[in-house]
Amino acid sequence: MNSTNVEIISDCFVKPKYQSEESKKPIYLSSWDLVLVSINYIQKGLLFGLPENKEFSITTFVDDLKDSLSATLTHFHPLATRLSTRKHQNPPSLTIFLNPENSPGARFIHSAVNVTVADILTPTDVPLIVQSFFDHHKAVNHDGHEQSLLSIKVTELIDGIFIGCSINHMLVDGTSYWHFFNSWSEMFKSRSFNISRPPILDRWILAGSDPIVKLPFTHEDQFINRPDCPMLRERIFHFSSESLAKLKTKANSKCNTAKISTLQSLSALVWRCVTRARRITADGNTSCSLAVSNRSRISPPIFENYLGNMVQTLKGIATAGELLDHGLGWAALRLHEVVVSHNDKAIEQLMDAWVKSPFVVNPGVHFDRNGVHIGSSPRFDMYGNEFGLGKALAVLSGYANKFDGKVTSYPGREGGGSIDLEVCLLPENMAAFEADEEFMSIVNV
């Protein structure tokens, strides 16, 4: 099945339905955006079964998707722009910004593939063909100078439809990504021009700093990295609300507290079990990184509908011996303490340091090879996006930003606090991980 080709039926660009004078102005990116220039786009998508309605027309459906996308882009018009770079001489530096001029808009691809929904969902591992359901394969954010910042790829399966969405990570974090997806779904359903939560487009700037940021580089080769990803196994594990409640209770009881959250407990479990699967020596350093939103942590707080990046990586660190000898509660409390100590003062200090000495994340060195990185959030509304097809059967992702130890969290399809984890590991590490009794004891097939 992995050799099956996805056939392109049509390929076009979609522009905002209406353009205001404001949408024609350049937008300067914030420090939170620019630091991500060398990583991949965000690629997430929804797998649906074909509707039972015999009058369903894929041609009409695709046209309606394009029309509602055009209306949605009127509100999210930065997604229809391209990147541009302005070079400075004194001192030598460059500024990357969003340029609405001469942009054809967002890309929209209609494709088809000769596979079934069962071909995608039945295998233990996520099939490689899922990566072909997304545009911008292996692209980094800097490629948004020549490639669209948003690309939608709608793929017909024999008995299903996949809607894949790739958005440049310099424009959105997970919160903004799903805000756009939710708004598009809302627009498709209402057939109106209004959305309930219009995005806030003004970029957040550290008080007292220049809104036009200059990066200390003269050429893209100085900061663009495209590391080759080794062959990974990718598997989705499901956790019911009941098993997660027991895990949370266990983590808190071991520490005589009630403060540790469900996700902190689950992250600690994954950290321990992946470390054990890797057979790291007792004195070897390990880490668990959590992607957290700064919106509510900044004073005054930033609204959830802010369009842009407000995410930061927090890291718990321990030797393998400490992590495995002390147990689940110790690891979960360690992660909890890292999260609660991350406040407005800590954020301001970090941003002040970045403004004085800007840098770009190098994915080849930023992610610890003995670490686990937990991304996305089960709080995002993923299954509320139906597009007239009913509830999605699964949330899946593309090639982007995956490496040994990358874990992506999704809400479980049945809701109620259930969680799905998409885990990427080297084959030898995955074999040991999926045989780990501590981990598999709370997994629900």
Side-chain angles (χ1 to χ4, degrees):
M1 182 184 65
N2 291 336
S3 62
T4 302
N5 292 324
V6 175
E7 176 189 358
I8 302 298
I9 298 173
S10 66
D11 188 346
C12 67
F13 288 91
V14 177
K15 289 189 174 185
K17 184 163 291 188
Y18 303 104
Q19 286 188 298
S20 64
E21 287 302 314
E22 194 67 23
S23 69
K24 300 177 183 178
K25 298 178 181 178
I27 297 176
Y28 292 94
L29 299 166
S30 76
S31 50
W32 296 109
D33 305 321
L34 292 166
V35 74
L36 302 177
V37 67
S38 189
I39 70 171
N40 296 132
Y41 280 52
I42 299 180
Q43 295 178 321
K44 299 289 188 293
L46 298 170
L47 176 63
F48 297 91
L50 279 178
E52 296 180 359
N53 180 7
K54 294 182 179 180
E55 296 180 359
F56 176 79
S57 164
I58 188 66
T59 301
T60 301
F61 176 69
V62 168
D63 287 342
D64 288 345
L65 284 176
K66 292 178 185 177
D67 187 64
S68 57
L69 176 61
S70 177
T72 308
L73 287 174
T74 300
H75 301 277
F76 289 81
H77 58 78
L79 301 183
T81 66
R82 292 285 175 95
L83 297 180
S84 285
T85 293
R86 180 181 301 125
K87 295 188 175 182
H88 311 279
Q89 298 301 322
N90 191 21
S93 56
L94 50 85
T95 296
I96 301 174
F97 62 99
L98 301 180
N99 187 357
E101 294 183 2
N102 301 320
S103 172
R107 193 179 186 188
F108 191 103
I109 302 170
H110 176 201
S111 60
V113 65
N114 191 36
V115 300
T116 65
V117 167
D119 290 332
I120 303 301
L121 297 184
T122 302
T124 300
D125 292 0
V126 178
L128 280 175
I129 196 170
V130 170
Q131 295 182 6
S132 65
F133 296 169
F134 297 88
D135 191 22
H136 296 330
H137 183 64
K138 296 187 178 182
V140 299
N141 294 320
H142 189 269
D143 295 334
H145 285 77
E146 294 83 29
Q147 300 184 28
S148 63
L149 302 183
L150 163 65
S151 182
I152 303 297
K153 190 171 185 178
V154 179
T155 303
E156 296 179 52
L157 282 67
I158 294 173
D159 57 352
I161 295 173
F162 190 87
I163 301 178
C165 176
S166 305
I167 305 183
N168 193 293
H169 208 332
M170 291 177 71
L171 276 72
V172 298
D173 56 12
T175 300
S176 289
Y177 177 98
W178 287 107
H179 178 204
F180 162 75
F181 219 121
N182 298 157
S183 299
W184 180 27
S185 174
E186 179 185 357
M187 193 76 77
F188 182 93
K189 182 179 180 180
S190 68
R191 297 294 197 271
S192 71
F193 183 69
N194 297 317
I195 53 176
S196 57
R197 295 174 53 232
I200 297 173
L201 303 180
D202 291 337
R203 256 14 193 202
W204 180 87
I205 302 295
L206 181 67
S209 63
D210 192 335
I212 302 179
V213 179
K214 297 179 180 179
L215 296 174
F217 307 108
T218 58
H219 194 274
E220 64 186 69
D221 291 345
Q222 297 172 314
F223 59 88
I224 298 300
N225 295 276
R226 301 177 189 269
D228 290 326
C229 180
M231 180 61 68
L232 300 171
R233 282 188 58 194
E234 178 183 336
R235 181 174 174 182
I236 296 177
F237 298 92
H238 177 67
F239 306 88
S240 68
S241 56
E242 292 79 14
S243 64
L244 290 172
K246 292 177 182 178
L247 183 70
K248 178 182 176 181
T249 299
K250 179 181 178 180
N252 278 284
S253 64
K254 294 292 184 180
C255 302
N256 295 315
T257 184
K259 299 178 181 179
I260 299 171
S261 72
T262 297
L263 191 57
Q264 290 161 6
S265 304
L266 184 57
S267 299
L269 176 71
V270 173
W271 184 15
R272 282 171 46 80
C273 297
V274 168
T275 298
R276 185 158 47 227
R278 286 171 168 161
R279 300 176 178 84
I280 300 171
T281 58
D283 60 349
N285 289 323
T286 72
S287 65
C288 181
S289 300
L290 305 174
V292 300
S293 174
N294 287 328
R295 285 169 171 80
S296 62
R297 293 176 167 86
I298 289 177
S299 182
I302 303 295
F303 288 108
E304 287 294 297
N305 53 335
Y306 168 82
L307 182 68
N309 283 283
M310 271 287 163
V311 70
Q312 188 171 336
T313 299
L314 308 182
K315 184 179 291 188
I317 299 174
T319 66
E322 290 173 329
L323 185 64
L324 299 179
D325 290 344
H326 283 90
L328 174 70
W330 182 88
L333 184 61
R334 204 168 186 86
L335 295 179
H336 171 77
E337 290 171 344
V338 169
V339 172
V340 297
S341 66
H342 186 63
N343 53 27
D344 178 66
K345 183 177 180 181
I347 296 169
E348 185 175 340
Q349 288 176 344
L350 179 71
M351 282 297 93
D352 185 59
W354 190 93
V355 169
K356 292 176 180 176
S357 182
F359 64 90
V360 167
V361 169
N362 180 345
V365 299
H366 179 74
F367 300 110
D368 180 6
R369 67 182 182 89
N370 284 340
V372 171
H373 181 87
I374 315 289
S376 188
S377 171
R379 297 186 181 92
F380 295 150
D381 179 10
M382 303 182 189
Y383 285 101
N385 305 294
E386 297 192 0
F387 297 99
L389 300 174
K391 192 173 186 177
L393 302 174
V395 181
L396 299 167
S397 65
Y399 169 92
N401 301 309
K402 289 179 178 174
F403 47 87
D404 181 47
K406 174 66 182 293
V407 180
T408 304
S409 60
Y410 303 125
R413 185 176 186 269
E414 72 268 29
S418 60
I419 294 176
D420 287 345
L421 290 184
E422 173 194 274
V423 180
C424 296
L425 290 171
L426 293 172
E428 60 270 26
N429 295 338
M430 181 66 84
F433 180 69
E434 63 190 4
D436 189 285
E437 293 183 4
E438 182 185 10
F439 179 73
M440 295 304 292
S441 67
I442 70 161
V443 172
N444 303 94
V445 178

PDB file of all heavy atoms in Angstrom, residues 3 21 34 37-38 40 79 89 114 143 177 193 220 224 247 292 294 315-316 341 397 409 413:
ATOM      1  N   SER A   3       3.306   1.965  -1.670  1.00  0.00           N
ATOM      2  CA  SER A   3       3.743   2.352  -3.011  1.00  0.00           C
ATOM      3  C   SER A   3       2.600   2.912  -3.846  1.00  0.00           C
ATOM      4  O   SER A   3       2.799   3.309  -4.983  1.00  0.00           O
ATOM      5  CB  SER A   3       4.359   1.145  -3.718  1.00  0.00           C
ATOM      6  OG  SER A   3       3.389   0.116  -3.871  1.00  0.00           O
ATOM      7  N   GLU A  21      -8.269  47.318   3.029  1.00  0.00           N
ATOM      8  CA  GLU A  21      -7.011  48.056   2.881  1.00  0.00           C
ATOM      9  C   GLU A  21      -5.980  47.533   3.878  1.00  0.00           C
ATOM     10  O   GLU A  21      -4.782  47.491   3.589  1.00  0.00           O
ATOM     11  CB  GLU A  21      -7.256  49.549   3.102  1.00  0.00           C
ATOM     12  CG  GLU A  21      -8.000  50.218   1.962  1.00  0.00           C
ATOM     13  CD  GLU A  21      -7.270  50.061   0.634  1.00  0.00           C
ATOM     14  OE1 GLU A  21      -6.035  50.284   0.591  1.00  0.00           O
ATOM     15  OE2 GLU A  21      -7.926  49.687  -0.369  1.00  0.00           O
ATOM     16  N   LEU A  34       9.631  34.241  14.536  1.00  0.00           N
ATOM     17  CA  LEU A  34      10.891  34.182  13.792  1.00  0.00           C
ATOM     18  C   LEU A  34      11.808  33.059  14.269  1.00  0.00           C
ATOM     19  O   LEU A  34      12.594  32.524  13.485  1.00  0.00           O
ATOM     20  CB  LEU A  34      11.610  35.532  13.904  1.00  0.00           C
ATOM     21  CG  LEU A  34      10.900  36.689  13.187  1.00  0.00           C
ATOM     22  CD1 LEU A  34      11.483  38.029  13.627  1.00  0.00           C
ATOM     23  CD2 LEU A  34      11.004  36.526  11.677  1.00  0.00           C
ATOM     24  N   VAL A  37      11.768  29.771  12.073  1.00  0.00           N
ATOM     25  CA  VAL A  37      11.926  29.877  10.627  1.00  0.00           C
ATOM     26  C   VAL A  37      12.528  28.627   9.993  1.00  0.00           C
ATOM     27  O   VAL A  37      12.321  28.351   8.810  1.00  0.00           O
ATOM     28  CB  VAL A  37      12.767  31.132  10.268  1.00  0.00           C
ATOM     29  CG1 VAL A  37      14.198  31.003  10.750  1.00  0.00           C
ATOM     30  CG2 VAL A  37      12.721  31.414   8.779  1.00  0.00           C
ATOM     31  N   SER A  38      13.247  27.805  10.772  1.00  0.00           N
ATOM     32  CA  SER A  38      13.953  26.665  10.193  1.00  0.00           C
ATOM     33  C   SER A  38      13.282  25.324  10.469  1.00  0.00           C
ATOM     34  O   SER A  38      13.843  24.284  10.133  1.00  0.00           O
ATOM     35  CB  SER A  38      15.398  26.614  10.714  1.00  0.00           C
ATOM     36  OG  SER A  38      16.149  25.656  10.006  1.00  0.00           O
ATOM     37  N   ASN A  40       9.636  22.711  10.313  1.00  0.00           N
ATOM     38  CA  ASN A  40       8.626  22.362   9.315  1.00  0.00           C
ATOM     39  C   ASN A  40       7.296  23.069   9.562  1.00  0.00           C
ATOM     40  O   ASN A  40       7.027  23.600  10.643  1.00  0.00           O
ATOM     41  CB  ASN A  40       8.354  20.853   9.335  1.00  0.00           C
ATOM     42  CG  ASN A  40       9.546  20.014   8.953  1.00  0.00           C
ATOM     43  OD1 ASN A  40       9.868  19.049   9.632  1.00  0.00           O
ATOM     44  ND2 ASN A  40      10.210  20.342   7.854  1.00  0.00           N
ATOM     45  N   LEU A  79      -2.743  34.293   6.131  1.00  0.00           N
ATOM     46  CA  LEU A  79      -2.453  32.951   5.624  1.00  0.00           C
ATOM     47  C   LEU A  79      -2.419  32.898   4.098  1.00  0.00           C
ATOM     48  O   LEU A  79      -1.958  31.915   3.516  1.00  0.00           O
ATOM     49  CB  LEU A  79      -3.490  31.953   6.142  1.00  0.00           C
ATOM     50  CG  LEU A  79      -3.628  31.813   7.661  1.00  0.00           C
ATOM     51  CD1 LEU A  79      -4.646  30.734   8.005  1.00  0.00           C
ATOM     52  CD2 LEU A  79      -2.286  31.490   8.299  1.00  0.00           C
ATOM     53  N   GLN A  89      22.184  46.774   5.818  1.00  0.00           N
ATOM     54  CA  GLN A  89      23.637  46.836   5.700  1.00  0.00           C
ATOM     55  C   GLN A  89      24.349  47.209   6.993  1.00  0.00           C
ATOM     56  O   GLN A  89      25.460  46.764   7.245  1.00  0.00           O
ATOM     57  CB  GLN A  89      24.015  47.843   4.599  1.00  0.00           C
ATOM     58  CG  GLN A  89      23.510  47.467   3.224  1.00  0.00           C
ATOM     59  CD  GLN A  89      24.029  46.119   2.757  1.00  0.00           C
ATOM     60  OE1 GLN A  89      25.179  45.759   2.994  1.00  0.00           O
ATOM     61  NE2 GLN A  89      23.162  45.356   2.085  1.00  0.00           N
ATOM     62  N   ASN A 114      -6.180   5.019  -4.266  1.00  0.00           N
ATOM     63  CA  ASN A 114      -6.894   3.746  -4.300  1.00  0.00           C
ATOM     64  C   ASN A 114      -6.645   2.942  -3.013  1.00  0.00           C
ATOM     65  O   ASN A 114      -6.100   1.837  -3.044  1.00  0.00           O
ATOM     66  CB  ASN A 114      -6.474   2.943  -5.536  1.00  0.00           C
ATOM     67  CG  ASN A 114      -7.362   1.742  -5.783  1.00  0.00           C
ATOM     68  OD1 ASN A 114      -8.565   1.798  -5.553  1.00  0.00           O
ATOM     69  ND2 ASN A 114      -6.762   0.650  -6.243  1.00  0.00           N
ATOM     70  N   ASP A 143      10.667  28.312   3.447  1.00  0.00           N
ATOM     71  CA  ASP A 143      10.225  28.043   2.081  1.00  0.00           C
ATOM     72  C   ASP A 143       8.957  28.812   1.725  1.00  0.00           C
ATOM     73  O   ASP A 143       8.553  28.846   0.556  1.00  0.00           O
ATOM     74  CB  ASP A 143       9.979  26.546   1.880  1.00  0.00           C
ATOM     75  CG  ASP A 143      11.251  25.732   2.013  1.00  0.00           C
ATOM     76  OD1 ASP A 143      12.334  26.276   1.765  1.00  0.00           O
ATOM     77  OD2 ASP A 143      11.157  24.532   2.379  1.00  0.00           O
ATOM     78  N   TYR A 177      -3.622  27.319  14.855  1.00  0.00           N
ATOM     79  CA  TYR A 177      -3.890  26.364  13.781  1.00  0.00           C
ATOM     80  C   TYR A 177      -5.317  25.847  13.883  1.00  0.00           C
ATOM     81  O   TYR A 177      -6.081  25.876  12.912  1.00  0.00           O
ATOM     82  CB  TYR A 177      -2.885  25.207  13.861  1.00  0.00           C
ATOM     83  CG  TYR A 177      -3.104  24.121  12.837  1.00  0.00           C
ATOM     84  CD1 TYR A 177      -2.373  24.094  11.660  1.00  0.00           C
ATOM     85  CD2 TYR A 177      -4.040  23.107  13.049  1.00  0.00           C
ATOM     86  CE1 TYR A 177      -2.570  23.099  10.707  1.00  0.00           C
ATOM     87  CE2 TYR A 177      -4.252  22.116  12.107  1.00  0.00           C
ATOM     88  CZ  TYR A 177      -3.512  22.109  10.944  1.00  0.00           C
ATOM     89  OH  TYR A 177      -3.726  21.126  10.011  1.00  0.00           O
ATOM     90  N   PHE A 193     -20.912  34.758   6.197  1.00  0.00           N
ATOM     91  CA  PHE A 193     -19.604  35.380   6.102  1.00  0.00           C
ATOM     92  C   PHE A 193     -19.003  35.654   7.478  1.00  0.00           C
ATOM     93  O   PHE A 193     -17.835  35.991   7.596  1.00  0.00           O
ATOM     94  CB  PHE A 193     -19.717  36.687   5.308  1.00  0.00           C
ATOM     95  CG  PHE A 193     -18.397  37.365   5.088  1.00  0.00           C
ATOM     96  CD1 PHE A 193     -17.448  36.809   4.251  1.00  0.00           C
ATOM     97  CD2 PHE A 193     -18.101  38.550   5.738  1.00  0.00           C
ATOM     98  CE1 PHE A 193     -16.219  37.422   4.061  1.00  0.00           C
ATOM     99  CE2 PHE A 193     -16.881  39.177   5.545  1.00  0.00           C
ATOM    100  CZ  PHE A 193     -15.938  38.612   4.694  1.00  0.00           C
ATOM    101  N   GLU A 220      20.452  33.031   4.178  1.00  0.00           N
ATOM    102  CA  GLU A 220      19.644  31.962   4.768  1.00  0.00           C
ATOM    103  C   GLU A 220      20.465  30.732   5.126  1.00  0.00           C
ATOM    104  O   GLU A 220      20.114  29.971   6.041  1.00  0.00           O
ATOM    105  CB  GLU A 220      18.525  31.560   3.813  1.00  0.00           C
ATOM    106  CG  GLU A 220      19.018  30.964   2.507  1.00  0.00           C
ATOM    107  CD  GLU A 220      17.897  30.695   1.521  1.00  0.00           C
ATOM    108  OE1 GLU A 220      17.321  31.691   1.011  1.00  0.00           O
ATOM    109  OE2 GLU A 220      17.598  29.518   1.271  1.00  0.00           O
ATOM    110  N   ILE A 224      19.273  28.134   8.128  1.00  0.00           N
ATOM    111  CA  ILE A 224      18.349  27.102   7.665  1.00  0.00           C
ATOM    112  C   ILE A 224      19.017  25.735   7.760  1.00  0.00           C
ATOM    113  O   ILE A 224      20.111  25.530   7.244  1.00  0.00           O
ATOM    114  CB  ILE A 224      17.895  27.366   6.216  1.00  0.00           C
ATOM    115  CG1 ILE A 224      17.131  28.692   6.134  1.00  0.00           C
ATOM    116  CG2 ILE A 224      17.012  26.218   5.727  1.00  0.00           C
ATOM    117  CD1 ILE A 224      15.890  28.737   6.999  1.00  0.00           C
ATOM    118  N   LEU A 247      -4.474   6.892  36.568  1.00  0.00           N
ATOM    119  CA  LEU A 247      -3.065   7.288  36.465  1.00  0.00           C
ATOM    120  C   LEU A 247      -2.815   8.583  37.220  1.00  0.00           C
ATOM    121  O   LEU A 247      -1.823   8.712  37.958  1.00  0.00           O
ATOM    122  CB  LEU A 247      -2.678   7.448  34.990  1.00  0.00           C
ATOM    123  CG  LEU A 247      -1.220   7.800  34.719  1.00  0.00           C
ATOM    124  CD1 LEU A 247      -0.311   6.619  35.041  1.00  0.00           C
ATOM    125  CD2 LEU A 247      -1.028   8.233  33.264  1.00  0.00           C
ATOM    126  N   VAL A 292       4.015  24.485  25.765  1.00  0.00           N
ATOM    127  CA  VAL A 292       2.944  25.157  26.507  1.00  0.00           C
ATOM    128  C   VAL A 292       2.656  26.516  25.877  1.00  0.00           C
ATOM    129  O   VAL A 292       3.544  27.157  25.295  1.00  0.00           O
ATOM    130  CB  VAL A 292       3.308  25.335  27.991  1.00  0.00           C
ATOM    131  CG1 VAL A 292       3.564  23.990  28.654  1.00  0.00           C
ATOM    132  CG2 VAL A 292       4.525  26.252  28.155  1.00  0.00           C
ATOM    133  N   ASN A 294       1.799  30.458  26.082  1.00  0.00           N
ATOM    134  CA  ASN A 294       2.056  31.576  26.985  1.00  0.00           C
ATOM    135  C   ASN A 294       0.892  32.554  27.068  1.00  0.00           C
ATOM    136  O   ASN A 294       0.974  33.558  27.779  1.00  0.00           O
ATOM    137  CB  ASN A 294       3.307  32.342  26.542  1.00  0.00           C
ATOM    138  CG  ASN A 294       4.580  31.578  26.839  1.00  0.00           C
ATOM    139  OD1 ASN A 294       4.652  30.835  27.813  1.00  0.00           O
ATOM    140  ND2 ASN A 294       5.584  31.740  25.993  1.00  0.00           N
ATOM    141  N   LYS A 315      11.194  22.214  29.920  1.00  0.00           N
ATOM    142  CA  LYS A 315      11.913  20.935  29.956  1.00  0.00           C
ATOM    143  C   LYS A 315      12.159  20.464  31.380  1.00  0.00           C
ATOM    144  O   LYS A 315      12.704  21.191  32.213  1.00  0.00           O
ATOM    145  CB  LYS A 315      13.232  21.074  29.209  1.00  0.00           C
ATOM    146  CG  LYS A 315      14.038  19.792  29.076  1.00  0.00           C
ATOM    147  CD  LYS A 315      15.320  20.022  28.290  1.00  0.00           C
ATOM    148  CE  LYS A 315      15.061  20.301  26.826  1.00  0.00           C
ATOM    149  NZ  LYS A 315      16.327  20.335  26.042  1.00  0.00           N
ATOM    150  N   GLY A 316      11.749  19.222  31.658  1.00  0.00           N
ATOM    151  CA  GLY A 316      12.132  18.538  32.888  1.00  0.00           C
ATOM    152  C   GLY A 316      13.344  17.677  32.603  1.00  0.00           C
ATOM    153  O   GLY A 316      13.410  17.016  31.561  1.00  0.00           O
ATOM    154  N   SER A 341       6.317  27.050  37.543  1.00  0.00           N
ATOM    155  CA  SER A 341       7.332  28.098  37.696  1.00  0.00           C
ATOM    156  C   SER A 341       7.448  28.984  36.460  1.00  0.00           C
ATOM    157  O   SER A 341       8.145  30.007  36.485  1.00  0.00           O
ATOM    158  CB  SER A 341       8.695  27.456  37.993  1.00  0.00           C
ATOM    159  OG  SER A 341       9.154  26.697  36.879  1.00  0.00           O
ATOM    160  N   SER A 397      -1.411  13.056  11.173  1.00  0.00           N
ATOM    161  CA  SER A 397      -0.458  14.120  10.850  1.00  0.00           C
ATOM    162  C   SER A 397       0.494  13.682   9.745  1.00  0.00           C
ATOM    163  O   SER A 397       0.582  12.494   9.411  1.00  0.00           O
ATOM    164  CB  SER A 397       0.337  14.523  12.097  1.00  0.00           C
ATOM    165  OG  SER A 397       1.139  13.439  12.542  1.00  0.00           O
ATOM    166  N   SER A 409      -0.149  14.882  21.203  1.00  0.00           N
ATOM    167  CA  SER A 409      -1.357  14.550  21.956  1.00  0.00           C
ATOM    168  C   SER A 409      -2.599  15.073  21.245  1.00  0.00           C
ATOM    169  O   SER A 409      -2.621  16.193  20.740  1.00  0.00           O
ATOM    170  CB  SER A 409      -1.280  15.137  23.372  1.00  0.00           C
ATOM    171  OG  SER A 409      -1.148  16.546  23.344  1.00  0.00           O
ATOM    172  N   ARG A 413     -11.403  10.268  20.337  1.00  0.00           N
ATOM    173  CA  ARG A 413     -12.589  10.481  19.506  1.00  0.00           C
ATOM    174  C   ARG A 413     -13.874  10.467  20.321  1.00  0.00           C
ATOM    175  O   ARG A 413     -14.819  11.197  20.022  1.00  0.00           O
ATOM    176  CB  ARG A 413     -12.658   9.418  18.407  1.00  0.00           C
ATOM    177  CG  ARG A 413     -13.802   9.644  17.416  1.00  0.00           C
ATOM    178  CD  ARG A 413     -13.776   8.627  16.288  1.00  0.00           C
ATOM    179  NE  ARG A 413     -14.788   8.947  15.280  1.00  0.00           N
ATOM    180  CZ  ARG A 413     -16.038   8.477  15.305  1.00  0.00           C
ATOM    181  NH1 ARG A 413     -16.419   7.664  16.291  1.00  0.00           N
ATOM    182  NH2 ARG A 413     -16.893   8.821  14.355  1.00  0.00           N
TER     183      ARG A 413
END
